[in-house]
């Protein structure tokens, strides 16, 4: 095991894929030895994936192009389904 | 000018997505992004460096969004978390998928604003903890504690949703 104890921050870093590979494998070893914590972390990972999937359709519609012709200092954004027009 | 468009344009999809998931009214969200772009262009010289463009744009958007929610709360109008209409969804999905999407976005909508912002930035926008701290202008330790609370609370909200309606406690809208 690592000389550094595994913290709650490490566990979230694990969920968010923000750990370097050495720390990641230390956390994995820790989770293998602590099934209850591993179950909670797996739930957070599923939650994260569900959120990303839920937001994905929104992402697909996001195709604005920015035309900075700067009419009186205002950006002209085309392709936006906005109710406001400049 | 070309540089400005070059740096801003790639961030627009993420800004729109964050606005829509944070305030949940598609029209309001797009207006917030429009305002963000206006502000970014008029204050372009104030940003720190090209590499910080995404952080800077998210900072502007987040501040505008928080003000928007505060104004809406003061007016006593309920913020329309649920009015993301079908036209917002480009990819056709089965009804079951749609339900699950509404469930999770609805539950996220019930999180306190400060927890919701951290969760969305980190989970959906792939923002690092340090960048989230800069966007929200809070210490990184606060990012971590809000993230932990957001995940625990979301878990509870989703568990409550799964219970039959008769067992369900009446949920108070946090907004």
């Amino acid at each position: 095991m690592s000389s550094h104890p595994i913290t709650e921050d490490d566990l979230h870093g694990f969920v968010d894929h923000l750990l370097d590979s050495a720390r990641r494998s230390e956390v994995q070893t820790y989770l293998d030895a602590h099934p209850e914590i591993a179950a909670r972390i797996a739930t957070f990972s599923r939650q994260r994936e569900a959120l990303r999937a839920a937001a994905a359709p929104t992402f697909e519609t996001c195709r604005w192009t920015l035309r900075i012709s700067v009419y009186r200092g205002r950006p002209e954004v085309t392709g936006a389904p906005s109710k406001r027009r400049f | 000018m070309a540089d400005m468009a070059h740096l801003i344009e790639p961030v627009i999809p993420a800004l729109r997505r964050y606005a829509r998931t944070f305030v949940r009214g598609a029209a309001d969200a797009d207006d917030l992004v429009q305002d963000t772009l206006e502000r970014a262009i008029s204050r372009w010289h104030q940003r720190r460096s090209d590499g910080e463009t995404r952080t800077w744009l998210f900072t502007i958007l987040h501040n505008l969004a928080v003000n928007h929610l505060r104004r809406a709360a003061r007016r006593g109008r309920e913020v329309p978390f649920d009015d993301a209409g079908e036209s917002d969804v480009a990819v056709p999905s089965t009804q079951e998928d749609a339900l699950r999407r509404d469930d999770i976005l609805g539950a996220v909508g019930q999180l306190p604003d400060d927890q919701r912002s951290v969760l969305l930035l980190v989970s959906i926008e792939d923002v690092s903890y340090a960048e989230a701290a800069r966007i929200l202008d809070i210490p990184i330790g606060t990012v971590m504690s809000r993230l932990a609370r957001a995940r625990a609370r979301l878990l509870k909200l989703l568990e409550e949703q799964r219970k039959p309606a008769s067992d369900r406690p009446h949920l108070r809208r946090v907004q």
Side-chain angles (χ1 to χ4, degrees):
Chain A
M1 271 310 276
S2 154
S3 51
H4 301 291
I6 304 294
T7 65
E8 180 76 12
D9 291 3
D10 286 320
L11 297 177
H12 287 283
F14 184 86
V15 170
D16 294 315
H17 310 286
L18 289 172
L19 301 180
D20 62 42
S21 59
R23 192 62 174 161
R24 189 168 180 82
S25 64
E26 285 167 6
V27 171
Q28 187 61 65
T29 306
Y30 173 83
L31 291 176
D32 291 344
H34 298 84
E36 270 180 36
I37 295 170
R40 182 168 66 96
I41 293 310
T43 308
F44 288 163
S45 292
R46 278 198 300 278
Q47 196 186 77
R48 184 178 192 274
E49 289 315 309
L51 251 181
R52 293 172 78 86
T58 303
F59 182 65
E60 290 300 315
T61 63
C62 293
R63 302 209 188 283
W64 286 6
T65 48
L66 188 65
R67 271 180 42 214
I68 306 176
S69 50
V70 189
Y71 174 69
R72 277 190 253 154
R74 294 188 162 199
E76 192 182 324
V77 182
T78 56
S82 175
K83 63 188 174 190
R84 268 197 270 163
R85 299 260 52 105
F86 296 114
Chain B
M1 276 311 180
D3 281 354
M4 195 199 287
H6 217 74
L7 288 164
I8 292 177
E9 245 181 39
V11 191
I12 294 176
L15 295 172
R16 292 187 70 198
R17 186 174 46 194
Y18 178 70
R20 283 172 184 228
T21 44
F22 187 69
V23 304
R24 282 302 297 285
D28 284 352
D30 281 347
D31 279 353
L32 286 170
V33 174
Q34 289 264 17
D35 291 347
T36 300
L37 297 174
E38 265 186 63
R39 202 167 281 211
I41 286 166
S42 63
R43 299 179 188 182
W44 187 243
H45 60 283
Q46 289 179 10
R47 84 202 192 290
R48 267 173 275 173
S49 70
D50 286 353
E52 290 273 301
T53 302
R54 178 173 85 152
T55 310
W56 184 66
L57 290 170
F58 265 107
T59 303
I60 297 172
L61 172 60
H62 180 74
N63 290 337
L64 288 171
V66 166
N67 287 339
H68 167 82
L69 291 179
R70 271 195 206 128
R71 273 197 312 275
R74 261 205 304 275
R75 278 200 303 270
R77 183 170 70 81
E78 190 175 332
V79 180
F81 277 120
D82 300 318
D83 78 346
E86 278 174 50
S87 59
D88 299 325
V89 179
V91 179
S93 53
T94 65
Q95 190 153 9
E96 202 185 329
D97 281 346
L99 276 177
R100 251 183 271 131
R101 183 173 58 237
D102 288 349
D103 282 352
I104 193 154
L105 292 179
V108 167
Q110 292 178 47
L111 295 174
D113 295 352
D114 57 359
Q115 292 178 21
R116 189 167 69 252
S117 57
V118 172
L119 184 71
L120 293 172
L121 287 172
V122 168
S123 302
I124 298 177
E125 306 308 336
D126 288 327
V127 163
S128 72
Y129 302 147
E131 190 181 359
R134 288 199 299 278
I135 290 169
L136 302 171
D137 195 25
I138 54 177
I140 195 161
T142 308
V143 169
M144 299 314 298
S145 60
R146 286 181 187 176
L147 180 62
R149 273 183 282 144
R151 285 192 161 136
R153 177 109 185 88
L154 185 59
L155 187 62
K156 232 175 148 187
L157 287 165
L158 291 169
E159 277 168 2
E160 281 165 6
Q161 275 183 0
R162 275 197 294 274
K163 284 184 198 164
S166 54
D167 302 355
R168 211 180 291 167
H170 189 72
L171 290 177
R172 186 172 60 88
R173 275 266 154 85
V174 179
Q175 280 316 309

